[in-house]
Amino acid sequence: MPARIISGKDIAAEMRAELEPQVVELKQRGITPGLAVVLVGEDPASQVYVRMKAKACEKLGMHSETITLPEATTEDELLATVDRLNANPAIHGFLVQLPLPDHIDSERVLLRILPTKDVDGFHPENVGRVAVGDPTAFPPATPFGVQHLLMRSGVQIDGSHVVIVGRSNIVGRPMASLLLQRRKGGNATVTVCHSHTKNLPDVTRLGDILIVAIGKANFVTGDMIRPGAVVIDVGTNRVDDPASEKGYRLVGDVDFEAAQQVASAITPVPGGVGPMTITMLLYNTLQAARRWAEN
Ligand code: NDP
């Protein structure tokens, strides 16, 4: 029997419907949760992401600001923008869209963001607090979204062996931290693989849950998956497709058709992890606004 599809689209819609009354409730108390996104330069993919974030924010009734700066913006000018957002009471959370132009030190910029407004969860303080299992930290949106996808689709995380392929700071590492936490959505046994892992298929086949985030189209084949495993495909890769209007289509890091014959459940690309990412950013922003209201 082919694997059950875990629809990130449906779960994200369900979560956003739950967030909406919480936004209304905060507004009734005079606080409109506000998210700002800073975009430097004209990277087309970043422009699309930023537009999607602003639209999702407004749809939920939250305040949204997009600050677009030219490619030639200096590091000091960007830091001054960060300082203004840190001090702006209408903005409860903000992020600087990555990648930044080469002449800007991303680390310095990330360090300047107030951890209480760092809804992307990339400030080292949030990274550290997620790593030690602090429930008040802001986890990065993508792995946080994967954790919610698993929980909401009834996948047993507690006690399961989760194999993660990819150790980036955006996905793989924080994913491991979240699944190791000593609470609901955690308590997994976690293995993290990367490009130096020996006999990768032997390791991936150990996973009750296999999470793949490497950025290589269709890399994980059916024989790398344990029969009955749950497969979460974070990868988003463009492959040429002359039949499509855009000339390309999106595929994951997992060979979906083959995996579907082996796994018990699987996320599609698109429509899997992707829609959860923005939802978790909104979720973190709402938490930031709520904490701001309490202080
Ligand atoms: P990075 O390029 O930062 O990291 C890739 C990781 O994969 C590295 O740890 C690398 O190992 C590992 N890797 C690469 N090749 C292999 C291999 N042959 N065998 C084992 N491990 C390998 O990527 P990201 O984490 O930023 O993104 C991964 C994918 O997820 C991309 O397709 C990206 O587009 C997608 N993504 C999707 C999001 C969404 O919202 N849906 C959000 C973020 C990312 P090493 O460390 O040794 O180099």
Side-chain angles (χ1 to χ4, degrees):
M1 202 169 59
R4 163 170 75 99
I5 303 292
I6 297 177
S7 169
K9 211 170 146 201
D10 291 351
I11 294 174
E14 180 185 297
M15 283 193 74
R16 287 187 204 188
E18 288 169 16
L19 294 180
E20 213 167 337
Q22 298 178 36
V23 174
V24 172
E25 191 257 329
L26 268 177
K27 281 173 136 177
Q28 282 164 350
R29 290 162 56 194
I31 300 143
T32 302
L35 172 71
V37 179
V38 183
L39 175 63
V40 184
E42 280 163 15
D43 177 57
S46 294
Q47 284 174 332
V48 172
Y49 294 141
V50 168
R51 264 201 305 274
M52 281 166 69
K53 287 170 188 173
K55 222 168 112 188
C57 198
E58 283 156 17
K59 212 165 160 210
L60 214 61
M62 289 163 61
H63 171 64
S64 151
E65 279 183 35
T66 303
I67 298 163
T68 312
L69 300 172
E71 180 87 20
T73 302
T74 65
E75 192 171 300
D76 283 344
E77 284 166 342
L78 179 56
L79 290 173
T81 303
V82 169
D83 289 342
R84 277 195 294 278
L85 289 168
N86 281 338
N88 184 345
I91 297 300
H92 303 98
F94 70 97
L95 62 101
V96 178
Q97 185 70 39
L98 299 175
L100 286 169
D102 290 342
H103 65 275
I104 297 178
D105 179 354
S106 308
E107 282 304 308
R108 253 193 100 198
V109 175
L110 284 180
L111 272 172
R112 192 75 156 243
I113 298 174
L114 267 185
T116 50
K117 291 195 176 190
D118 170 43
V119 286
D120 237 356
F122 294 150
H123 188 289
E125 184 175 318
N126 274 314
V127 175
R129 294 205 292 141
V130 168
V132 297
D134 178 346
T136 66
F138 295 121
T142 301
F144 199 21
V146 170
Q147 188 185 37
H148 277 263
L149 264 187
L150 290 169
M151 288 194 289
R152 287 189 177 237
S153 44
V155 174
Q156 169 84 23
I157 301 174
D158 195 314
S160 292
H161 188 174
V162 182
V163 176
I164 301 167
V165 192
R167 58 173 162 182
S168 73
N169 291 338
I170 297 174
V171 190
R173 279 170 202 260
M175 187 77 255
S177 296
L178 288 173
L179 295 172
L180 275 175
Q181 289 174 341
R182 261 197 203 98
R183 61 169 173 276
K184 196 163 171 259
N187 289 319
T189 301
V190 180
T191 300
V192 182
C193 307
H194 45 80
S195 66
H196 293 241
T197 299
K198 279 188 197 155
N199 306 324
L200 185 66
D202 288 344
V203 185
T204 55
R205 269 194 297 269
L206 296 173
D208 302 309
I209 300 170
L210 177 62
I211 301 174
V212 191
I214 59 175
K216 292 196 168 141
N218 301 323
F219 180 87
V220 170
T221 46
D223 61 331
M224 293 171 75
I225 299 166
R226 178 189 197 130
V230 173
V231 178
I232 306 289
D233 190 353
V234 182
T236 315
N237 310 288
R238 279 185 183 188
V239 293
D240 292 341
D241 182 1
S244 94
E245 212 175 281
K246 294 176 183 159
Y248 68 87
R249 68 194 155 88
L250 290 183
V251 300
D253 290 343
V254 177
D255 177 348
F256 182 84
E257 274 74 31
Q260 212 186 3
Q261 302 310 315
V262 188
S264 61
I266 186 168
T267 55
V269 178
V273 175
M276 293 299 290
T277 297
I278 292 183
T279 304
M280 300 322 291
L281 179 68
L282 302 175
Y283 182 99
N284 279 348
T285 305
L286 195 63
Q287 301 308 317
R290 190 172 290 129
R291 270 179 226 147
W292 188 84
E294 283 160 9
N295 288 318

